[in-house]
């Protein structure tokens, strides 16, 4: 036994060893109840740091890209197919943050009535940017050559705009994009709503309560793809031990928790829904995703879960690469509409 352990009691030794194991990422060890609680705290703090780091990276990437690409159109963007055309900062509201970017395939690929993907970035409802590489690059590189239009949106965030109002902004962006789709060669009837993390929560709110989108002037869309949301049942999250950033987003009012919980909002069948989830995150987002999908199926809705052994960040940035994950998303879209490229 190491000399330093001799000064601890037997119980303290167990707690110390569990803390060391947890810090090393080792979980397959006997864990007493008190030690399990300590390990949970360590894992919780680690996940919070990962969320914060991902959000900071998204903000950093967005700032860098915005500096290099601001006020430019009809350019080839690094990492995207040659001939990609980009329409930057198209306003859908009066605030400078209410803008979107439209990525169009090269003229030799583009044609009329193309399907349109609208992407909503994440960042704990408080940071992030539509130009971040993980949000755009691989997805656009995959779907533009298939003759899709790809749109990435910004929206106002915490602390001045709360999640329910953010969902309304996404709906307004969707409505504007549908109204102008023909200008870009897109089909109003072939919109796919996609979001990651906080953005996944926002598109899930719209999917479960389409009246929000309808009120904003949006038409029904073809499908919703949620990339690793862990907030389908916000009420359940807030009534249990949870990450502190959820308090910033959802506050302390149970009525508000109800109003932003996709699982509780879902009352009738809506557009087909794909819930991608990380099977390796400590907060187990796949459990909430599966509960939502089960309820959706019971209402007669086409809904699927797609668990992936990827980190929260990789769920976002790896979509579009040549891998089984991207192939599974394409397969889902074909099931929704066999005419999709």
């Amino acid at each position: 036994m190491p000399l330093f352990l001799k000064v601890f009691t037997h119980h303290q030794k167990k707690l110390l060893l569990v803390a060391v194991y947890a810090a090393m990422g080792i979980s397959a060890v006997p864990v007493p109840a008190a030690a399990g609680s300590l390990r949970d705290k360590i894992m919780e703090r680690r996940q919070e740091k990962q969320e914060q780091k991902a959000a900071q990276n998204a903000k950093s990437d967005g700032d860098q890209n915005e500096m290099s690409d601001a006020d430019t159109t009809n350019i080839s963007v690094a990492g995207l197919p040659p001939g990609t055309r980009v329409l930057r900062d198209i306003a859908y509201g009066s605030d400078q943050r209410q803008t979107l970017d439209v990525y169009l395939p090269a003229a030799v690929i583009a044609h009329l009535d193309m399907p349109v993907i609208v992407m909503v970035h994440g960042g704990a409802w408080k940071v992030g940017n539509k130009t971040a590489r993980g949000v755009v690059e691989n997805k656009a590189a995959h779907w533009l050559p298939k003759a899709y239009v790809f749109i990435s949106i910004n929206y106002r965030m915490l602390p001045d705009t709360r999640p329910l109002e953010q969902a309304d902004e996404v709906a307004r962006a969707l409505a504007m994009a549908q109204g102008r789709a023909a200008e870009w060669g897109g089909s109003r009837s072939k919109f796919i709503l996609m979001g990651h993390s906080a953005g996944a929560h926002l598109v899930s709110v719209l999917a479960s309560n389409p009246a929000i989108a309808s009120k904003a002037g949006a038409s029904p869309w073809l499908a919703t793809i949620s990339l690793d949301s862990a907030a389908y049942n916000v009420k359940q999250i807030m009534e249990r031990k949870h990450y502190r950033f959820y308090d910033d987003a959802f506050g302390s009012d149970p009525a508000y928790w109800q109003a932003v919980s996709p699982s509780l909002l879902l009352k009738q069948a809506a557009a087909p829904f794909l819930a991608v989830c990380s099977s390796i995150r400590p907060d187990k987002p796949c459990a909430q995703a599966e509960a939502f999908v089960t309820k959706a199926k019971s209402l007669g809705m086409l809904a699927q879960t797609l668990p992936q052994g990827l980190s929260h960040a990789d769920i976002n940035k790896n979509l579009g690469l040549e891998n089984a994950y991207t192939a599974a998303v394409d397969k889902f879209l074909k099931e929704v509409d066999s005419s999709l490229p």
Side-chain angles (χ1 to χ4, degrees):
M1 178 185 298
L3 180 62
F4 77 92
L5 284 179
K6 292 183 179 180
V7 300
F8 293 101
T9 67
H10 179 70
H11 180 64
Q12 289 171 328
K13 290 173 190 174
K14 285 186 176 181
L15 291 177
L16 181 60
L17 288 172
V18 168
V20 171
Y21 285 136
M24 295 171 64
I26 300 171
S27 58
V29 294
V31 181
S37 176
L38 176 61
R39 184 183 64 185
D40 288 345
K41 289 180 180 178
I42 292 171
M43 295 299 289
E44 176 182 345
R45 185 58 185 157
R46 179 184 298 170
Q47 179 66 20
E48 282 187 348
K49 288 181 177 178
Q50 289 173 348
E51 289 277 352
Q52 292 165 1
K53 183 178 179 181
Q56 289 167 358
N57 287 343
K59 184 177 182 181
S60 176
D61 284 348
D63 290 344
Q64 183 179 1
N65 288 338
E66 199 160 20
M67 287 175 63
S68 62
D69 294 331
D71 300 321
T72 57
T73 58
N74 302 315
I75 61 171
S76 294
V77 180
L80 296 181
T84 295
R85 294 167 292 155
V86 187
L87 309 176
R88 294 280 185 204
D89 298 324
I90 299 174
Y92 65 86
S94 58
D95 191 282
Q96 63 180 359
R97 294 166 291 181
Q98 296 170 320
T99 61
L100 53 83
D101 295 341
V102 181
Y103 294 79
L104 301 172
V108 294
I109 299 173
H111 54 72
L112 296 178
D113 296 324
M114 291 183 288
V116 183
I117 294 175
V118 175
M119 178 66 193
V120 185
H121 71 75
W125 300 273
K126 66 178 64 174
V127 297
N129 198 292
K130 60 183 168 58
T131 59
R133 286 183 177 178
V135 173
V136 175
E137 193 168 75
N138 291 329
K139 300 177 191 69
H142 175 70
W143 277 294
L144 290 182
K146 291 177 173 287
Y148 278 72
V149 176
F150 185 86
I151 297 175
S152 184
I153 78 166
N154 270 351
Y155 50 95
R156 293 179 298 176
M157 293 177 283
L158 295 172
D160 55 323
T161 306
R162 301 184 69 194
L164 194 57
E165 292 70 33
Q166 291 175 12
D168 182 65
E169 298 211 348
V170 174
R172 292 174 63 187
L174 174 63
M176 189 278 280
Q178 288 176 330
R180 296 186 60 180
E183 296 177 33
W184 309 320
S187 171
R188 185 186 184 101
S189 64
K190 293 183 179 180
F191 268 67
I192 296 142
L193 199 52
M194 179 184 292
H196 172 250
S197 192
H201 167 257
L202 298 178
V203 301
S204 299
V205 168
L206 296 183
S208 56
N209 188 6
I212 297 174
S214 179
K215 185 177 179 181
S219 303
W221 55 99
L222 199 60
T224 305
I225 300 177
S226 170
L227 304 177
D228 209 31
S229 172
Y232 289 98
N233 191 331
V234 174
K235 185 173 184 292
Q236 184 181 78
I237 290 170
M238 301 305 288
E239 289 175 343
R240 301 176 179 177
K241 183 174 68 175
H242 55 267
Y243 301 139
R244 285 187 288 274
F245 63 81
Y246 284 131
D247 294 317
D248 295 334
F250 301 122
S252 58
D253 182 2
Y256 191 80
W257 303 343
Q258 175 92 17
V260 291
S261 294
S263 289
L264 304 180
L265 292 170
L266 187 63
K267 304 294 185 184
Q268 60 187 25
F273 191 95
L274 179 64
V276 182
C277 57
S278 169
S279 60
I280 63 174
R281 281 175 60 177
D283 55 339
K284 297 178 171 46
C286 288
Q288 285 213 27
E290 288 167 1
F292 179 87
V293 166
T294 297
K295 182 175 182 179
K297 286 180 175 179
S298 74
L299 296 171
M301 187 169 156
L302 173 60
Q304 301 174 14
T305 55
L306 182 58
Q308 295 293 302
L310 297 170
S311 71
H312 184 59
D314 284 345
I315 288 282
N316 193 28
K317 69 181 182 181
N318 285 13
L319 181 57
L321 297 177
E322 292 188 13
N323 52 35
Y325 168 28
T326 301
V329 173
D330 278 337
K331 181 175 182 290
F332 167 77
L333 290 174
K334 277 287 191 181
E335 290 178 21
V336 171
D337 185 342
S338 61
S339 72
L340 292 176

